[in-house]
Amino acid sequence: MKRIGFAEVMLCLGLIFIYLPMVILVIYSFNASRLVTVWGGWSTHWYAGLWDNTQLMSAVFRSLTIAFYTAISSVFLGTLAAFVLTRIPRFRGRTMFGGLVTAPLVMPEVITGLSLLLLFVAMAQMIGWPAERGMTTIWIAHTSFCASYVAVVVSSRLRELDLSIEEAAMDLGARPWKVFVLITIPMIAPSLMAGAMMSFALSLDDLVLASFVSGPGSTTLPMEIFSAVRLGVKPEINAVASLILLAVSLFTFFAWFFTARAEKRRVHAMRQAMEETTGKAQAQVA
Amino acid sequence: MSAQPGLIKRMLDGRRLVIGIPFVWLFLFFLLPFFIVLKISFSEAAVAIPPYTDIFTWANDQLTVVLNLGNYLFLTEDELYLYAYLGSLKIAFISTLLCLVIGYPMAYAIARSGRQAQTVLLLLIMMPTWTAILIRVYAWMGLLSSSGLINQFLMGIGVISSPLRMLNTDFAVYVGIVYSYLPFMILPLFANLVKHDNSLLEAASDLGASRFTSFWRITVPLSKNGIIAGCMLVFIPAVGEFVIPELLGGPETLMIGRVLWQEFFSNRDWPIASALAVIMLLILIVPIILFNKNQAKELEGKA
C-alpha cells in the first residue's frame, strides 16, 4: 500500500529546503564576478587565492588539530559515560551523572562558553594553570560537549547488544577489562566511529565556545570566517565554505559506506555461524 | 534495564575508575563553572585583570562576603534586557513550532519508507548537522539580501517591483533557526516513530477510524517522548542563539545570547554578562530538567 501522501511531499520539500541553499552557495563560489550576486561566468580564481592566504591556512590547520584531539578524547570519555549509564544501574549520584551527560546537548553555547572561560580565569588565579588560553582550553571545551553526543550514540548501541556474549566471556574467566576491549569494543566499533566523526565535525564547526575560551593568536577557522562574514558576503568565503561542505560530505559518505559494509559483514558472519552450529546440532540428532 | 548480577559484580573492581573519569571531567568542566558564573554575577565590574572585584575578602581573621546585587538591579532597570529575554523566548518558541510542523511529516515519511531508503534519507538529514552551522547561515545571507537570488527571482517573475528587505529582519532569523535546527527535530521524532507498532493502526482502521483520526489519536500521543525531545533540542539552544541573530537579524532583533555576547566582548562587563547567563539558566532550568528526564528514559531504554 505504497502511496505518495502529504508526508512524502513534505519530506521532498524539506530536503530541497535543506540542500538548495548549499547547492547555490557552491555554484556561486565559481562566480568570476566580485559582485557576489551577479553572475559573471565560471572561474576558480577564488579557490586559487586561498592557498596564499596564510592567516586562513593557519586557522584551518589549528582547527583540524583541535578537532582531531577532540575526536579522540571525547570518544574515550563519551564511551565511558555510555558504559556507566547502560551497565551500572545503581550508584550514588547516578541521577546527577545522567544529568551531567545529557545537559551539554541543549545548554546554550553562550552560557557554556562564558562559564568555562570564567573557570579557566579562576583556575589561572588559583593554581596558575592554564597560564594562557589557546588550543588546550578550546580542546577541553570541545571535549566536554562532544562527549555527550558520543555518549548518546554509543549508549543506544550498547543497549542493543546481547549481554549474553559478554556474560559468556566472563564465565570463561576473562577479566572485565579484557571483555570490554576484546568483545564489547569490536561490537560497538561502528558507533565509536560515528561518535568520533560527529565530534570532529562539531569541533570544526564551533564558533561560540572557541571565541570565549581562545586566547590571542589562537584564532580557529570558524572565528576567521565569522569575522569576515560579519561584514557581508564575500567570494573568498564562498570558496572556503564550499570546500568545507565538500570535505564534510565526502567524509560523511565514506564513513557511512564503510560502517554500513562492516555492519553487513558482521551480520552475515553471525548468521553463517548460527546456521553452521544449528546444522551441526541437527546432524548430531540425526 | 535488568541487571546482570554476574557481570556487574565482576565489574566492581574497575567500577570506581569507570564512573570516576567521566564524572570528574563533567563536574570540573561543566557543573563547577556555573557556580563561578553565579559568584561573579554578584561581583562588581572593575578596571583590572580579570575585570571584576572579588566577593570574598579575608582581613583580620574575618571572612567578609560582599554580595553585590547591583547587576541584577541594573538588569531590571533597563528595559532592553527584559525585551531581549522576551524576544528570545518568542523567537525560540515560534521557531520550535515551525520545526515541529515541518519536521513531523518528514520524520513520519522517513519512518514509513523502506529500510534501504531509510538509511539514505537519514544520512541526508544528518549530514547538514555535521556541516558548519556558520556556513549554512552564511548561505542564507546571500539568498536573502536585497540583491540576492530570492529577490532577483521574485522581481524576475514580476511579483514585486522593488526588492523586499528580508536580510537583517526577524523573518531572516526565523528562517535561519528553522533551517539550522530542523534536523535536531527530525532525528528524535524518527527514532520514536520507527518503533511504532503498525497493528494498532490496522486495528483502528478495522474499527472504522479514518486515517486522520487514527493518526491524531494513536500516532501522535504515542510519539510524545519524541516530540518532547525534539522540541527541547530546538527550543533550549535557540533561546541562547548568537550566530543566527547576529548574522541574519537586524539591529532591532533583540535576543539574549547576542546581548550577553556584546556585554562580554564589547563592553567587557563580565559581571553583567554573568548575571544575564544566570537569569537565562533560571528561565531554561525547567525545560532542561524536562529534557534530561526524557533523555534519561531513552538512555536507559525505558521509553
Side-chain angles (χ1 to χ4, degrees):
Chain A
M1 42 164 269
K2 193 79 197 152
R3 44 170 242 138
I4 303 295
F6 169 71
E8 279 75 17
V9 174
M10 280 300 283
L11 180 60
C12 286
L13 290 178
L15 285 173
I16 292 172
F17 173 62
I18 290 175
Y19 280 95
L20 195 62
M22 294 196 240
V23 172
I24 291 172
L25 178 74
V26 174
I27 294 174
Y28 269 76
S29 72
F30 292 103
N31 188 358
S33 166
R34 182 158 252 298
L35 295 166
V36 277
T37 48
V38 182
W39 184 254
W42 295 90
S43 159
T44 54
H45 74 268
W46 302 119
Y47 287 90
L50 289 180
W51 284 112
D52 305 326
N53 192 337
T54 46
Q55 198 188 342
L56 195 71
M57 281 300 140
S58 68
V60 170
F61 183 72
R62 202 172 288 121
S63 279
L64 287 175
T65 316
I66 295 171
F68 177 74
Y69 288 117
T70 300
I72 295 173
S73 53
S74 53
V75 165
F76 174 74
L77 209 61
T79 309
L80 279 183
F83 189 81
V84 172
L85 284 174
T86 51
R87 294 286 192 271
I88 306 180
R90 249 180 295 280
F91 60 89
R92 212 185 307 159
R94 193 178 192 292
T95 321
M96 187 168 117
F97 186 86
L100 281 179
V101 173
T102 49
L105 293 176
V106 288
M107 192 57 70
E109 285 171 314
V110 284
I111 297 185
T112 325
L114 176 71
S115 62
L116 268 172
L117 170 73
L118 297 179
L119 172 81
F120 289 139
V121 170
M123 279 170 75
Q125 269 181 316
M126 272 193 273
I127 57 169
W129 184 91
E132 63 178 16
R133 297 184 292 279
M135 284 170 75
T136 318
T137 47
I138 301 177
W139 167 73
I140 291 175
H142 286 179
T143 300
S144 308
F145 96 103
C146 290
S148 295
Y149 282 88
V150 175
V152 170
V153 174
V154 173
S155 67
S156 72
R157 178 78 194 155
L158 274 173
R159 246 185 297 119
E160 289 168 7
L161 280 191
D162 191 354
L163 271 178
S164 59
I165 305 177
E166 286 167 56
E167 281 263 276
M170 295 268 197
D171 289 343
L172 294 170
R175 307 280 311 148
W177 274 108
K178 204 170 178 190
V179 175
F180 187 69
V181 173
L182 291 180
I183 313 269
T184 316
I185 292 275
M187 285 200 293
I188 60 173
S191 64
L192 295 185
M193 182 69 205
M197 279 176 41
M198 220 173 189
S199 309
F200 189 88
L202 285 168
S203 164
L204 205 57
D205 179 19
D206 167 69
L207 166 75
V208 175
L209 290 181
S211 298
F212 273 101
V213 301
S214 78
S218 57
T219 318
T220 61
L221 180 64
M223 289 161 75
E224 201 72 53
I225 295 179
F226 181 68
S227 61
V229 159
R230 240 180 175 170
L231 307 168
V233 179
K234 286 196 184 119
E236 296 91 345
I237 298 298
N238 281 346
V240 182
S242 307
L243 284 180
I244 296 176
L245 285 179
L246 180 76
V248 173
S249 337
L250 281 180
F251 189 63
T252 324
F253 177 76
F254 281 116
W256 167 75
F257 182 75
F258 286 116
T259 46
R261 208 173 60 171
E263 181 69 14
K264 213 178 246 174
R265 272 197 202 140
R266 201 179 61 83
V267 172
H268 183 74
M270 232 154 92
R271 193 173 296 148
Q272 212 166 18
M274 291 284 218
E275 274 162 14
E276 270 170 30
T277 35
T278 41
K280 267 182 205 154
Q282 277 166 353
Q284 273 171 4
V285 170
Chain B
M1 67 168 251
S2 65
Q4 299 280 321
L7 183 74
I8 299 307
K9 217 171 257 172
R10 276 173 244 177
M11 271 294 170
L12 275 172
D13 315 344
R15 199 176 121 149
R16 237 168 241 179
L17 196 66
V18 171
I19 301 175
I21 295 173
F23 201 106
V24 167
W25 179 286
L26 286 168
F27 181 80
L28 188 60
F29 294 120
F30 188 73
L31 192 62
L32 185 64
F34 292 132
F35 291 103
I36 298 177
V37 173
L38 186 65
K39 182 193 134 196
I40 289 172
S41 73
F42 287 114
S43 68
E44 251 177 290
V47 186
I49 295 173
Y52 53 84
T53 57
D54 215 333
I55 61 168
F56 301 107
T57 40
W58 180 261
N60 303 329
D61 294 337
Q62 270 185 324
L63 177 69
T64 322
V65 183
V66 182
L67 290 186
N68 167 31
L69 296 172
N71 300 314
Y72 291 97
L73 289 176
F74 180 71
L75 293 187
T76 57
E77 276 162 21
D78 197 334
E79 284 189 335
L80 169 97
Y81 300 107
L82 177 68
Y83 287 133
Y85 280 114
L86 292 178
S88 291
L89 288 174
K90 184 187 117 198
I91 290 179
F93 181 74
I94 296 176
S95 311
T96 308
L97 275 186
L98 289 172
C99 277
L100 182 64
V101 169
I102 301 171
Y104 201 101
M106 290 177 74
Y108 188 68
I110 300 174
R112 283 202 313 185
S113 59
R115 246 195 119 62
Q116 205 80 59
Q118 237 168 44
T119 357
V120 176
L121 288 170
L122 273 184
L123 189 73
L124 281 175
I125 300 289
M126 238 142 91
M127 204 135 81
T129 67
W130 294 345
T131 337
I133 185 174
L134 192 57
I135 288 172
R136 288 182 292 143
V137 172
Y138 171 73
W140 279 101
M141 286 175 75
L143 286 174
L144 292 172
S145 71
S146 52
S147 58
L149 272 184
I150 295 179
N151 269 317
Q152 282 181 24
F153 174 74
L154 289 178
M155 288 203 289
I157 59 170
V159 178
I160 50 171
S161 53
S162 60
L164 289 174
R165 181 164 169 263
M166 287 184 288
L167 187 61
N168 302 329
T169 60
D170 283 2
F171 169 73
V173 176
Y174 286 118
V175 172
I177 293 182
V178 171
Y179 184 68
S180 309
Y181 286 95
L182 189 57
F184 294 103
M185 177 66 85
I186 296 176
L187 294 176
L189 279 175
F190 164 79
N192 182 289
L193 286 169
V194 80
K195 285 187 288 193
H196 286 195
D197 188 352
N198 252 334
S199 57
L200 278 175
L201 293 178
E202 277 160 27
S205 90
D206 286 347
L207 294 171
S210 72
R211 289 178 66 92
F212 181 77
T213 315
S214 55
F215 170 78
W216 190 245
R217 310 249 332 236
I218 297 175
T219 311
V220 172
L222 275 178
S223 58
K224 196 186 98 203
N225 280 340
I227 295 176
I228 293 177
C231 287
M232 293 302 135
L233 273 173
V234 176
F235 180 78
I236 302 171
V239 169
E241 184 55 56
F242 164 72
V243 177
I244 298 170
E246 179 71 16
L247 292 181
L248 298 177
E252 74 282 359
T253 310
L254 275 178
M255 284 188 77
I256 201 66
R258 203 176 172 193
V259 173
L260 192 156
W261 182 283
Q262 275 158 5
E263 290 294 349
F264 185 85
F265 286 102
S266 313
N267 301 345
R268 279 187 67 76
D269 195 334
W270 293 17
I272 287 283
S274 302
L276 284 169
V278 169
I279 295 180
M280 200 198 307
L281 208 56
L282 285 178
I283 294 173
L284 292 178
I285 199 83
V286 173
I288 289 175
I289 289 174
L290 197 65
F291 173 77
N292 273 346
K293 284 230 167 96
N294 191 300
Q295 207 59 24
K297 273 191 246 160
E298 287 282 325
L299 282 177
E300 288 153 32
K302 280 185 205 147

